[in-house]
Amino acid sequence: MEEQHRRALRRGRARLVAALRVEPLWDPLEQRGLFTRPMLEELQSSGSRGEQARQLIIDLETRGKQAFPAFLSILRDTGQGGLAEMLIQECESQPAPLQLPDLRPVELELREAKQRKKGVLIVMCPCQDYEMKADPCGHCLILNNVNFSRDSGLSTREGSDIDCEKLERRFKALHFTVLTRRDLKAQEMVLELLKLSRQDHSALDCCIVVILSHGCQTSHIQFPGGVYGTDGKPIPIEKIVNYFNGSNCLSLRGKPKLFFIQACGGEQRDQGFVVDCDSPEEEAPGSSLESDATPFRVPSDNMDEPDAIASLPTPSDILVSYSTFPGFVSWREKSSGSWYVEMLDSVLEQYARSEDLLDMLVRVARAVSAKGRYKQIPGCFNFLRKKFFFVCD
């Protein structure tokens, strides 16, 4: 979309949100090729009419050059010509954008980051996106714990294999080599993670770790929560992440390290709060809906603890995506898998070609938070220094 059209939509957003009738727009938006049916269904599930209108305008800015005139035509066809004229006036009233010279990023050695020439300080900006040129892009390790020992007191995680299969297909399609390990005890999980962190990643651009298991709260300094091995012993997320930090995995220094955690952060069940929402209320959790919650346990004396804070480097180039807010349960359907993985897979399929990872995780959070009578909202701890875009065919 042309920049002047984007600015017109932004400046007119408040009026559009207040007055736009979204119901007549869905079919024409699909017929004109501006949005696919799954995209429109996601928009329709984003909340009240106002929230749907706001998200439609935001998403419209990412469409092609013909999106703006097509949208104006749809507004007129649906009896909303006044809003179309308002947008045209916004376009006409805006000054021409300032033409900046073509500035190209230059990579520098740190010691040469600042140079002086004829008394002028030259500052050169690094690239704003992570480089993703390797093929494969990197390794993806999926740890899928389904069956737990009787002594652990933890239930079978029915539906987790569905999550695992979805993510295997998705990350293979995104040019990662995928290794899946199923039903590992805590120490076996640690060994797999250490094995991955000790590999040579020099020729690769990224690393992904996915953990599907029961979870709990644990003591932490940087990253909250823990996950259980099939023997019922917890591993702090912080410990897992630190295997891959700049001190412990030299070949991943400066490269993105992504962690996706489908596990509960605690036992609280979020019943939400009342909002103006047009979406139908789903049934309360029943026999097919389970949580991955387990009580908080203080690690036993023989369990390794995270390193002391003085020995932890800055966790740069790390992102940890959690299926739920710390302290709350994470819902999983026996027949279709977890809400979080279902939405993550769907969003990656639809938007990986055009959006960076953080924008997509916001979409995941919005979609998951709209489900069910009991509520759940994913979140992330982000220490990435640049935008991250997946490689798509």
Side-chain angles (χ1 to χ4, degrees):
M1 182 176 289
E2 301 290 346
E3 184 58 32
Q4 67 269 28
H5 295 159
R6 290 194 182 94
R7 291 199 300 273
L9 287 170
R10 291 167 190 163
R11 292 180 61 176
R13 186 180 300 168
R15 184 171 172 184
L16 286 166
V17 169
L20 188 64
R21 290 185 291 111
V22 294
E23 293 82 0
L25 302 180
W26 305 132
D27 288 341
L29 287 170
E30 182 181 16
Q31 292 166 3
R32 297 288 186 94
L34 297 183
F35 293 88
T36 64
R37 177 51 54 180
M39 292 177 183
L40 292 174
E41 289 174 353
E42 182 182 349
L43 284 170
Q44 289 172 298
S45 67
S46 60
S48 64
R49 180 209 57 80
E51 287 298 323
Q52 293 177 31
R54 179 178 291 105
Q55 193 57 48
L56 171 61
I57 302 308
I58 293 172
D59 289 356
L60 194 63
E61 294 179 23
T62 67
R63 304 297 101 184
K65 292 184 178 181
Q66 299 304 315
F68 188 77
F71 183 60
L72 295 179
S73 176
I74 291 172
L75 286 176
R76 296 187 183 98
D77 292 344
T78 57
Q80 303 181 75
L83 294 178
E85 294 306 315
M86 179 269 294
L87 289 175
I88 293 174
Q89 292 174 10
E90 288 290 352
C91 276
E92 294 174 347
S93 65
Q94 295 176 42
L98 178 64
Q99 296 297 319
L100 297 175
D102 183 19
L103 299 178
R104 300 180 183 273
V106 178
E107 294 186 2
L108 302 174
E109 294 293 331
L110 288 177
R111 63 179 178 273
E112 299 173 352
K114 295 181 179 179
Q115 301 177 5
R116 290 188 179 272
K117 184 176 181 181
K118 296 181 180 179
V120 178
L121 178 65
I122 302 174
V123 180
M124 298 184 179
C125 298
C127 180
Q128 297 301 305
D129 300 340
Y130 282 105
E131 185 176 85
M132 296 288 286
K133 295 181 179 178
D135 191 10
C137 300
H139 297 302
C140 172
L141 174 64
I142 302 177
L143 302 182
N144 178 29
N145 286 344
V146 180
N147 302 296
F148 293 77
S149 67
R150 184 175 302 176
D151 294 339
S152 71
L154 301 172
S155 62
T156 301
R157 298 184 62 256
E158 296 184 54
S160 187
D161 285 332
I162 298 173
D163 286 345
C164 186
E165 291 169 4
K166 288 178 181 177
L167 295 180
E168 284 178 335
R169 289 194 299 268
R170 184 60 51 211
F171 287 120
K172 285 178 181 177
L174 294 173
H175 297 270
F176 285 83
T177 59
V178 178
L179 172 65
T180 300
R181 295 299 309 275
R182 191 176 190 267
D183 291 346
L184 299 183
K185 297 177 182 178
Q187 189 58 32
E188 292 171 333
M189 295 173 68
V190 167
L191 292 175
E192 286 293 334
L193 292 161
L194 283 172
K195 181 179 177 181
L196 177 61
S197 70
R198 291 169 180 171
Q199 289 188 33
D200 184 2
H201 302 262
S202 300
L204 305 173
D205 293 327
C206 180
C207 184
I208 292 177
V209 173
V210 179
I211 300 181
L212 312 172
S213 188
H214 284 295
C216 64
Q217 299 184 62
T218 65
S219 59
H220 67 280
I221 298 169
Q222 293 172 332
F223 299 97
V227 291
Y228 282 105
T230 57
D231 52 358
K233 294 182 179 180
I235 309 172
I237 299 298
E238 186 165 280
K239 178 177 178 178
I240 293 171
V241 172
N242 285 336
Y243 291 144
F244 298 85
N245 65 28
S247 291
N248 295 323
C249 187
L250 302 185
S251 61
L252 280 173
R253 280 184 175 178
K255 300 176 181 180
K257 297 161 282 284
L258 313 178
F259 300 82
F260 299 91
I261 312 298
Q262 166 53 44
C264 280
E267 292 186 287
Q268 295 188 60
R269 296 188 177 191
D270 186 1
Q271 299 192 34
F273 55 92
V274 177
V275 294
D276 177 18
C277 181
D278 298 330
S279 58
E281 192 176 62
E282 299 181 16
E283 294 183 1
S287 58
S288 66
L289 188 61
E290 299 180 341
S291 80
D292 286 328
T294 54
F296 170 76
R297 299 181 184 178
V298 178
S300 59
D301 293 338
N302 61 351
M303 284 297 296
D304 292 337
E305 288 292 317
D307 295 338
I309 189 168
S311 68
L312 291 176
T314 301
S316 61
D317 308 295
I318 287 173
L319 180 141
V320 183
S321 174
Y322 292 87
S323 63
T324 190
F325 192 80
F328 288 84
V329 300
S330 181
W331 296 109
R332 171 174 35 83
E333 300 275 359
K334 293 181 180 180
S335 59
S336 58
S338 66
W339 294 356
Y340 167 72
V341 172
E342 179 185 20
M343 293 300 106
L344 177 64
D345 177 59
S346 176
V347 167
L348 289 174
E349 180 182 20
Q350 295 179 52
Y351 298 101
R353 290 175 176 80
S354 59
E355 295 187 359
D356 75 291
L357 178 58
L358 286 178
D359 284 344
M360 289 190 287
L361 290 179
V362 171
R363 290 184 179 275
V364 173
R366 184 170 68 245
V368 172
S369 66
K371 293 176 68 69
R373 181 169 297 169
Y374 284 113
K375 294 300 177 182
Q376 174 185 335
I377 183 160
C380 72
F381 279 61
N382 173 37
F383 294 92
L384 298 179
R385 297 176 297 112
K386 306 176 184 180
K387 287 189 175 184
F388 179 88
F389 290 89
F390 285 104
V391 175
C392 302
D393 292 324

